[in-house]
């Protein structure tokens, strides 16, 4: 036995995912009821518990913990449960011939109380009747009667190994109807073909969930687009009527609105695109061939779904473009506001420089006056001293000495003040 190195912890989980949703071989004839329920991304635990109640009723082991799919034979019918990201599907199978399609569907064998308490909201419900190739042929009038007289579509599928008819409508019992007739399918081919048809039926509803959001968002996006255009026009023709600060505040509110709209529907638009891709892939895998006088399933869905998908795609693209446009306009407006603030700050600095220069001149004037005032008092004191010395008998002329001392005292005082000012400025800079 070969011993490998350390394995990736997700290897087994990835292998199980490849085999997560196997096809169920079908022995024609088969009657099928299919229900798709939206329960959100956190509804899997409730669904497993609810499914366990049905299994308990028929003494069948329930689905294991953390299971995302389950296939079980409950006796009167077989069940397949599949968990997807935001919805789950329940398919009920019964191998039984039926002369009158859709009269007594297999869902009648399922507990009605259990069906009513099913977690989530039903997004799709389908009855599918798969007839044996040896069953009597159906005339167009008879097929129309099965669909309540509605116009219907039809095509050969699986490369001509089966035929299919449906009207893509919800009937009085709230189920859609699909009639299939085996031509040359094997049991596995029948299982694959039926599952593809049921997946197309469900995925088309999931894809179309984005359309109401697109229609709801379109007028709001158009209004915001027009408001942004008005703000850009005001910026281009600047006048005193509108201030940049007010325009920036208004633009910020518009940016918040477009982000709110995007947050509300961006996930759904992304899911719509993914589901539509699945519909197209399943239609390709179905390998349709035209039946004389009837439109095919793919051309009918493409004709009706393509405009809806383009509407969703256009709305999503427009939202993204508008968000980027608001960002660009806001950046330009912020740049203008910053330039205006810088200009105002420059003017303030120039004013402060002028005031500083004026204060400096006033200070120098005050210093000069201070020198004169202090010199006046010092000369006065010196004069009194010289007069006292003369009174003691010293031969001196007080007036002459005082006059000579005036420039000397003023110079010394001015020099002292200058040095003291330099010392103070140096200590402040340090």
């Amino acid at each position: 036995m070969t011993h490998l190195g350390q394995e990736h912890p997700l290897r087994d989980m990835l292998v199980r995912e490849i085999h997560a949703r196997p096809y169920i071989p079908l022995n024609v004839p088969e009657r099928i009821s299919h229900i798709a329920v939206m329960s959100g991304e956190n509804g899997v635990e409730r669904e497993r518990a609810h499914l366990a109640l049905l299994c308990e009723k028929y003494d069948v082991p329930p689905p294991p913990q953390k299971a995302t799919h389950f296939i079980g034979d409950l006796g009167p019918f077989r069940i397949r449960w599949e968990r997807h990201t935001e919805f789950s599907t329940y398919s009920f199978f019964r191998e039984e011939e039926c002369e009158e399609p859709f009269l007594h569907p297999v869902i009648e064998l399922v507990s009605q109380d259990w069906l009513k308490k099913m977690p989530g909201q039903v997004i799709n419900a389908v009855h599918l009747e798969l007839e044996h190739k040896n069953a009597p042929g159906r005339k167009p009038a008879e097929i129309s009667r099965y669909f309540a007289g509605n116009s219907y579509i039809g095509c050969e599928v699986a490369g001509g190994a089966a035929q299919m008819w449906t009207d893509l409508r919800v009937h009085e019992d709230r189920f859609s109807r699909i009639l299939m007739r085996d031509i040359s399918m094997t049991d596995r081919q029948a299982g694959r073909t039926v599952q593809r048809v049921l997946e197309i039926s469900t995925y088309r509803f999931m894809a179309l969930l984005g359309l109401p959001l697109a229609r709801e968002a379109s007028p709001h996006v158009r209004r915001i687009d027009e408001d942004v255009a008005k703000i850009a026009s005001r910026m281009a023709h600047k006048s005193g009527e509108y201030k940049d600060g007010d325009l920036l505040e208004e633009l910020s509110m518009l940016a918040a609105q477009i982000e709110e709209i995007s947050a509300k529907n961006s996930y759904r638009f992304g899911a719509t695109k993914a589901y539509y891709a699945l519909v197209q892939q399943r239609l390709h895998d179905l390998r349709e061939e035209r039946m004389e006088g009837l439109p095919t399933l793919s051309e009918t869905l493409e004709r009706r779904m393509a405009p809806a998908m383009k509407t969703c795609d256009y709305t999503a693209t427009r939202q993204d473009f508008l968000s980027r446009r608001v960002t660009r306009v806001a950046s330009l407006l912020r740049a203008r506001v910053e330039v205006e603030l810088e200009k105002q700050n420059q003017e303030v600095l120039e004013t402060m420089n002028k005031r500083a220069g004026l204060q400096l001149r006033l200070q120098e004037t005050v210093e000069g006056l201070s020198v004169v005032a202090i010199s006046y008092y010092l000369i006065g004191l010196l004069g009194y001293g010289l007069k006292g010395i003369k009174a003691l008998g010293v031969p001196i002329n007080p007036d002459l000495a005082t006059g000579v001392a005036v420039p000397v005292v003023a110079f010394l005082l001015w020099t002292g003040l200058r040095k003291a000012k330099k010392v103070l400025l140096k200590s402040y800079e340090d």
Side-chain angles (χ1 to χ4, degrees):
M1 181 177 179
T2 303
H3 296 281
L4 302 176
Q6 184 178 2
E7 293 191 4
H8 195 283
L10 299 179
R11 180 185 179 187
D12 291 336
M13 186 274 288
L14 297 175
V15 171
R16 289 193 299 270
E17 185 62 26
I18 297 296
H19 304 280
R21 298 181 177 90
Y23 300 109
I24 297 181
L26 298 178
N27 295 318
V28 183
E30 196 84 31
R31 309 181 70 187
I32 304 159
S33 292
H34 176 82
I35 302 175
V37 180
M38 289 193 67
S39 57
E41 297 186 10
N42 300 319
V44 62
E45 295 296 337
R46 291 185 298 146
E47 291 179 355
R48 275 197 294 261
H50 190 65
L51 187 58
L53 294 177
L54 186 64
C55 293
E56 181 181 356
K57 182 178 180 180
Y58 293 94
D59 295 326
V60 173
Q65 290 293 328
K66 297 184 179 180
T68 57
H69 71 282
F70 172 76
I71 298 175
D73 189 345
L74 305 187
F77 56 87
R78 306 188 308 281
I79 184 172
R80 180 177 64 197
W81 169 72
E82 294 182 358
R83 175 64 192 180
H84 299 259
T85 302
E86 57 180 339
F87 72 94
S88 293
T89 59
Y90 301 81
S91 300
F92 305 91
F93 303 84
R94 181 177 174 85
E95 185 179 346
E96 180 183 41
E97 292 188 10
C98 180
E99 295 183 2
E100 185 70 16
F102 313 115
L103 183 59
H104 296 291
V106 64
I107 199 70
E108 292 183 353
L109 302 176
V110 184
S111 169
Q112 297 302 302
D113 183 62
W114 184 85
L115 290 173
K116 290 180 181 179
K117 296 180 180 179
M118 187 180 295
Q121 297 176 319
V122 176
I123 187 66
N124 184 35
V126 183
H127 292 317
L128 190 150
E129 299 281 353
L130 178 56
E131 295 185 320
H132 196 276
K133 60 183 177 182
N134 295 329
R138 307 287 185 181
K139 295 181 179 180
E142 190 177 5
I143 295 175
S144 178
R145 180 169 59 84
Y146 297 146
F147 299 112
N150 299 319
S151 59
Y152 59 89
I153 63 175
C155 59
E156 294 184 351
V157 295
Q163 295 176 328
M164 183 190 75
W165 300 269
T166 181
D167 62 350
L168 299 175
R169 296 179 183 272
V170 178
H171 291 261
E172 293 182 358
D173 60 355
R174 306 306 299 165
F175 277 77
S176 301
R177 296 177 179 179
I178 300 174
L179 178 62
M180 294 186 66
R181 180 182 179 86
D182 176 37
I183 300 297
S184 60
M185 291 191 297
T186 64
D187 55 352
R188 292 185 178 276
Q189 189 178 18
R192 291 194 301 270
T193 302
V194 166
Q195 183 161 335
R196 286 166 181 164
V197 171
L198 294 177
E199 287 178 347
I200 290 170
S201 177
T202 297
Y203 286 145
R204 70 184 176 94
F205 280 103
M206 297 302 298
L208 288 171
L209 282 176
L211 182 59
L213 290 177
R215 289 173 174 171
E216 179 184 354
S218 290
H220 298 290
V221 173
R222 182 172 58 253
R223 174 186 56 80
I224 294 174
D225 192 7
E226 293 173 352
D227 291 342
V228 173
K230 291 178 182 178
I231 292 176
S233 177
R234 295 172 189 171
M235 292 175 58
H237 304 85
K238 185 177 180 181
S239 62
E241 183 179 357
Y242 304 103
K243 296 182 179 179
D244 289 342
D246 296 337
L247 294 179
L248 184 59
E249 181 178 357
E250 184 178 351
L251 193 61
S252 299
M253 293 182 63
L254 294 177
Q257 292 176 19
I258 192 63
E259 289 302 321
E260 180 183 9
I261 295 173
S262 297
K264 181 179 178 181
N265 55 30
S266 59
Y267 170 82
R268 178 50 54 195
F269 287 159
T272 290
K273 189 175 182 179
Y275 287 129
Y276 184 50
L278 287 173
V279 170
Q280 292 178 311
Q281 181 62 45
R282 295 299 185 273
L283 287 171
H284 177 268
D285 296 339
L286 203 57
R287 294 183 297 144
E288 295 175 281
E289 295 180 8
R290 183 176 296 279
M291 294 175 64
E292 185 178 356
L294 293 176
T296 64
L297 178 63
S298 59
E299 70 180 30
T300 301
L301 291 182
E302 187 68 18
R303 185 178 70 252
R304 298 179 181 179
M305 290 188 67
M309 298 302 101
K310 290 185 181 297
T311 298
C312 295
D313 187 56
Y314 171 72
T315 303
T317 302
R318 191 176 181 186
Q319 284 179 183
D320 182 63
F321 172 77
L322 184 57
S323 179
R324 287 186 277 113
R325 182 183 177 190
V326 169
T327 301
R328 290 197 306 270
V329 175
S331 298
L332 292 173
L333 194 52
R334 288 192 186 95
R336 278 181 40 166
V337 171
E338 290 174 359
V339 169
E340 187 65 24
L341 288 175
E342 185 176 350
K343 182 179 179 181
Q344 293 178 1
N345 292 336
Q346 186 67 29
E347 292 176 354
V348 171
L349 289 175
E350 290 178 357
T351 302
M352 292 176 64
N353 289 335
K354 290 180 181 178
R355 290 180 179 177
L358 180 60
Q359 289 178 353
L360 180 61
R361 287 193 294 271
L362 289 174
Q363 183 179 355
E364 291 175 350
T365 302
V366 171
E367 289 177 358
L369 294 174
S370 298
V371 170
V372 173
I374 295 172
S375 298
Y376 173 77
Y377 287 109
L378 289 177
I379 295 300
L381 292 174
L382 180 62
Y384 286 121
L386 292 174
K387 290 179 180 180
I389 293 174
K390 182 180 178 180
L392 293 175
V394 176
I396 189 174
N397 187 346
D399 295 331
L400 179 60
T402 300
V404 173
V406 169
V408 177
V409 170
F411 176 76
L412 292 175
L413 185 60
W414 179 78
T415 303
L417 289 175
R418 295 282 294 181
K419 289 183 178 181
K421 183 177 179 181
K422 289 181 179 180
V423 172
L424 290 175
L425 289 176
K426 184 177 182 181
S427 63
Y428 176 75
E429 290 177 356
D430 295 339

